[in-house]
Amino acid sequence: PKNLFPFRISCVPSSFFFSFHFYAGICSALRLTVPSHTIHGIEGQPLHLTVDYNFNTTASEIQIIWLFEKPQSIPKYLLGSVNQSVVPDLEYKHKFTLIPPNASLMINPLHVTDEGNYIVKVNVHGNGTISANQKIQVTVDVPVTKPAVQIEPSSGVVEYVGNMTLTCTVGKGTRIGYQWMKNGKPMHATSSYTFSSNNDTLLIVPVMKEDIGNYSCLATNPVSAMESEIIAPTIFYGPYGLTVNSDKGLKVGEVFTVDIGEAILFDCSADSNPPNTYSWIQRTDNTTHVIKYGPHLEVLSEKVAQTTVDYMCYAYNNVTGKQDETRFTVIITSVGLERLAQKGKSLSSLAVITGISLFLIVSMSLLFLWKRYRPHKGRPGADYRKGQTFSGHENAMDDFGIYEFVAFPDPTGVPMVPSQPVSGSDFVQGQDLHSTVYEVIQHIPEQQEVHQA
C-alpha cells in the first residue's frame, strides 16, 4: 500500500528447482511496516517501537531479531525469538522487552546512550524461507526548561545612539533551537536585526523608537517547547509631534481667536520617553521671556495688554538631549462683549416697551372707572332732561339720546334761540354764558326723563 514505509525483503527459496513465479509469490507474501523511520524519545521515559508484519503463506516457524547499531559501528544483538520463545542478550535482558508473536520492541528506561539505529528482522519458514527487515532511527532528548532573556544595557538605550543585545538562556535541554518573537510574531534578520549562529542572541544596531515592543524567546527541541517571559526594553526617544491645543477659542492653523473676559487653558504635548520638560515663552515688544514651566498654561484675556500676543511652547528631553518648539498667536477680540451688549440692549428695550404698555393699560382702566363711578354735579332745580356728552371715545351705541340747543349771544347783538324753550331757572344771573353752556352739556344725566316744572 502507498501509506506503508518502504522495506527490504530477502527471499531464499527452499529448493533451487522452484519456478520463478512461485519464488516471486513467496517474496511478495511478507509485509513488514513501522509508523516512522525516525522516532524521538525522552530521556528517562519508556519508548515503544511498533512493528507490524503479515504474510500469506503457511509458516512452520517465525523468527524475530532486534539489532542496535551506532554510527560507524557493528550492529549488536539485543534479543530475538523463535515462535513463542524469547532469547535475550544477557547484557540487555532487563532493558528490552519482546512479546511474540508481536514484533514490537519496548525500551525502558531510555537513556542518551540508547540513541542510534534499531534494526528489526523477521524470518518466516514454511515451504521456503522469506525474510524482511526495517531500520528505525531513535533520538533521545532532554526536554527544555523555561528560557530566560537578558538585555544589555539593562538601564535603557538612547535611539540612534546605542545598541542593544538580547540573550536567551536555557537551564536544561538537548538539541535546542531558538526563535525570537516580537509582539507575538517571529522575528527575522534585517539591516537592524542580527542573530547569532544558533539564534540564542539578538543584536539590534542601531536602536530606534520602532524597536519598542514585547520581546520573548521560544526554545524548542524534538520533544518539547518553552517560551520565556515577555520583556520590554527601555528605549529613550523624542520629543516627536509637539502640538498645542485649547479647549476654548477658535483655532485656525497656529492662531487662537478668543473673546475678552475668557480664561483660556492651553495644553502642550509631545511623544517622548522620558516625558519632556515644557517651557512657555511670551514675545512682547520684540523681546521674549519665560512666563511658566509645565505642560499647561492659563491666559486671562482681560489681563493681556495687547490684542495680539505671540507665544511659544518649548519641549526638551533631558536624556536624549533633543528639543522641539511650536509657536502660536492669540488674538483678543470684543465680539463676545458686543454680542452681550446687543443682547442687553434688546432686553432693555423690551423692558421699556413692556413697562410703558402696562402703564397705559393701568391708566386707561383707572380713567374709565373714574368716569363711570365719579359723583355727578347738578344745579338746584334742574329737572329737565340734559343732553348726553359726546367725547368721541364712547361706544357709538351711546351716542343716541336727547340733545339741547342752547342760545348764546351773537356778535351782532341778536340772540340765538334754542329749538325748545328753556326755563329761566336754567340760567344763573351774572354767570358767563359760555360757562353755563358747558355746565349744561357736561352734567346732563344719562337716560333720565325731563319733568315739567
Side-chain angles (χ1 to χ4, degrees):
K2 293 182 180 180
N3 60 342
L4 299 179
F5 292 93
F7 52 85
R8 294 181 299 171
I9 301 178
S10 299
C11 298
V12 180
S14 59
S15 173
F16 180 76
F17 299 101
F18 282 176
S19 67
F20 172 78
H21 295 286
F22 179 77
Y23 171 73
I26 294 294
C27 284
S28 62
L30 182 58
R31 296 285 188 272
L32 189 62
T33 60
V34 295
S36 175
H37 287 284
T38 301
I39 296 178
H40 304 286
I42 300 175
E43 184 183 30
Q45 296 186 9
L47 180 64
H48 189 222
L49 303 181
T50 303
V51 178
D52 292 326
Y53 69 92
N54 59 77
F55 51 89
N56 56 3
T57 185
T58 302
S60 59
E61 191 175 41
I62 301 174
Q63 183 184 39
I64 302 172
I65 301 174
W66 278 94
L67 304 174
F68 173 70
E69 69 173 0
K70 286 183 175 289
Q72 300 178 353
S73 65
I74 301 174
K76 294 181 180 181
Y77 175 82
L78 299 179
L79 78 172
S81 68
V82 177
N83 292 338
Q84 301 295 325
S85 178
V86 178
V87 182
D89 185 285
L90 295 179
E91 183 181 357
Y92 307 113
K93 67 178 182 178
H94 299 296
K95 188 177 185 68
F96 301 99
T97 304
L98 178 66
I99 303 176
N102 194 322
S104 301
L105 178 68
M106 174 66 74
I107 308 173
N108 188 25
L110 189 65
H111 296 292
V112 176
T113 55
D114 297 327
E115 188 173 275
N117 296 324
Y118 289 79
I119 303 170
V120 57
K121 184 177 181 180
V122 177
N123 297 319
V124 178
H125 180 70
N127 294 330
T129 301
I130 54 178
S131 301
N133 60 74
Q134 287 281 12
K135 181 184 288 188
I136 303 173
Q137 182 184 9
V138 173
T139 63
V140 181
D141 288 296
V142 176
V144 297
T145 56
K146 189 172 184 176
V149 176
Q150 296 179 345
I151 296 181
E152 292 293 337
S154 59
S155 58
V157 61
V158 178
E159 66 168 348
Y160 298 111
V161 176
N163 305 327
M164 186 167 59
T165 302
L166 288 77
T167 304
C168 185
T169 58
V170 177
K172 291 182 179 181
T174 55
R175 280 190 282 269
I176 303 175
Y178 298 91
Q179 174 64 62
W180 287 97
M181 313 289 287
K182 180 182 178 182
N183 298 328
K185 297 181 180 180
M187 298 180 64
H188 304 284
T190 64
S191 57
S192 299
Y193 299 153
T194 304
F195 301 94
S196 61
S197 57
N198 64 345
N199 272 20
D200 65 340
T201 302
L202 168 62
L203 179 63
I204 304 178
V205 180
V207 174
M208 296 180 291
K209 177 190 173 184
E210 290 73 17
D211 296 324
I212 296 175
N214 297 322
Y215 291 80
S216 62
C217 172
L218 179 64
T220 62
N221 69 1
V223 296
S224 61
M226 293 291 288
E227 187 173 2
S228 69
E229 296 289 343
I230 292 175
I231 187 168
T234 301
I235 299 176
F236 303 109
Y237 64 91
Y240 294 122
L242 182 63
T243 58
V244 174
N245 294 291
S246 175
D247 59 347
K248 293 183 179 180
L250 176 62
K251 181 179 181 182
V252 181
E254 297 178 347
V255 177
F256 292 86
T257 303
V258 294
D259 296 333
I260 296 177
E262 284 191 322
I264 315 112
L265 180 63
F266 292 100
D267 178 75
C268 191
S269 61
D271 187 15
S272 177
N273 184 39
N276 301 301
T277 58
Y278 296 95
S279 303
W280 295 91
I281 301 174
Q282 179 179 343
R283 182 178 180 180
T284 306
D285 299 329
N286 294 326
T287 61
T288 59
H289 59 280
V290 178
I291 58 176
K292 192 177 186 298
Y293 293 97
H296 308 294
L297 172 67
E298 185 177 28
V299 176
L300 301 177
S301 58
E302 67 271 13
K303 295 184 178 181
V304 178
Q306 299 175 340
T307 57
T308 301
V309 185
D310 294 326
Y311 292 92
M312 180 179 72
C313 176
Y314 175 82
Y316 176 72
N317 187 322
N318 58 3
V319 175
T320 64
K322 295 182 179 181
Q323 62 188 25
D324 196 4
E325 62 184 41
T326 181
R327 301 173 185 271
F328 62 98
T329 301
V330 175
I331 299 178
I332 309 298
T333 67
S334 58
V335 176
L337 291 180
E338 291 177 359
R339 291 177 180 174
L340 183 62
Q342 292 176 0
K343 184 176 181 181
K345 290 180 180 178
S346 300
L347 293 176
S348 300
S349 301
L350 181 60
V352 170
I353 294 173
T354 303
I356 293 174
S357 301
L358 291 174
F359 175 77
L360 291 175
I361 292 173
V362 172
S363 299
M364 292 177 67
S365 299
L366 293 175
L367 181 60
F368 173 76
L369 294 175
W370 180 77
K371 284 185 176 182
R372 184 173 184 85
Y373 297 105
R374 69 185 177 88
H376 296 284
K377 294 180 181 180
R379 294 191 310 272
D383 321 304
Y384 60 89
R385 181 179 180 84
K386 298 182 180 178
Q388 186 178 17
T389 303
F390 181 76
S391 63
H393 298 286
E394 290 78 5
N395 192 323
M397 296 299 294
D398 297 334
D399 293 338
F400 294 94
I402 301 175
Y403 296 85
E404 291 196 29
F405 181 76
V406 180
F408 54 90
D410 184 81
T412 59
V414 181
M416 299 180 66
V417 182
S419 59
Q420 293 182 6
V422 181
S423 172
S425 61
D426 292 329
F427 297 94
V428 179
Q429 297 295 330
Q431 187 176 9
D432 184 20
L433 184 59
H434 292 283
S435 174
T436 302
V437 173
Y438 176 80
E439 290 289 329
V440 170
I441 295 175
Q442 180 69 18
H443 299 292
I444 294 177
E446 298 179 1
Q447 303 296 327
Q448 293 185 1
E449 296 181 357
V450 179
H451 300 278
Q452 298 295 331

